Amino acid sequence: MATRLVQINMKARDDSALGGFWAQALGWEVSSEGPGVTNLEPEGFVYPDPVAVCIDLVVSQEAKTVKNRVHVDLATTSAAHQAQVVARLKDLGATPADVGQGDVPWTVMADPEGNEFCVLDPRPLYRDTGPIAAVVVDCADPRAMARFWSEATDWTMHEVTDQIARLRSAKGIGPYLEFVRTPDVKSGWNRVHLDVRPYPGDDPEAEAARLRSLGATPIDLGQDVPWRVLADPEGNEFCLLTPS
């Protein structure tokens, strides 16, 4: 048994407006499964497919008060392309952001609601990922997090050190999932989190039990919903969706 990393869930004060920003940033299509939810995926995409990790924006009036522990890194193909992407994102409403990065070759920005993201310098590693090079998670122990998530999903490890760990779909396509060591301590709910989904025919209850055996903990939101909310070993919330 295993799950698939299928999407990023991002809270938004205005899901439609923020969804419009990210759709233009990524060149993706916009749809909506219901009020207060905006769904983004590549043109012609057949969900789910590891060629992309989609984005769901869900309306929430809770204010953003701390740096997000989950963000995306955008890929570029050259220094000129990186500069072009940064300029275009500024025109769309993004702003430069300082998260203590110092003098680095990538550009740290924030979307119109303050969610941090990076426009990377060109790197061969990300030449075939699509517009999102990596989904990045701040953590205290990259090795332990990579171990949990590689066992929780069907993604495989590509690099593991004390400072960073990289996973990617077993099919070798799409973005990477990266865990980067940071001294920051998690405080409050993550406004951006991961959603995973069992394979068709798998038992969600059995999969939830398997995830708990790996170190996940259940979270009770007091809501009657078809998905299950859990937290990974470092307390990052994620949702186990129904099979599809």
Side-chain angles (χ1 to χ4, degrees), residues 107-172:
T107 303
V108 183
M109 307 188 78
D111 71 18
E113 290 200 7
N115 298 296
E116 302 86 3
F117 66 95
C118 298
V119 180
L120 298 181
D121 48 296
R123 305 180 193 184
L125 178 67
Y126 304 123
R127 66 182 180 276
D128 62 349
T129 60
I132 297 179
V135 180
V136 183
V137 182
D138 293 350
C139 68
D141 187 342
R143 292 182 184 275
M145 289 287 278
R147 184 165 53 250
F148 170 82
W149 280 97
S150 66
E151 293 177 348
T153 67
D154 60 358
W155 287 35
T156 56
M157 297 188 196
H158 281 249
E159 177 185 358
V160 182
T161 71
D162 290 339
Q163 300 302 317
I164 187 171
R166 287 190 176 93
L167 279 64
R168 200 182 192 191
S169 164
K171 294 184 178 181

Side-chain angles (χ1 to χ4, degrees), residues 8 10 12 15 18-19 22 36-40 55-59:
I8 302 165
M10 183 183 296
D15 62 285
L18 193 60
W22 280 105
V37 181
T38 298
N39 311 104
L40 307 181
I55 300 178
D56 278 7
L57 298 107
V58 180
V59 70

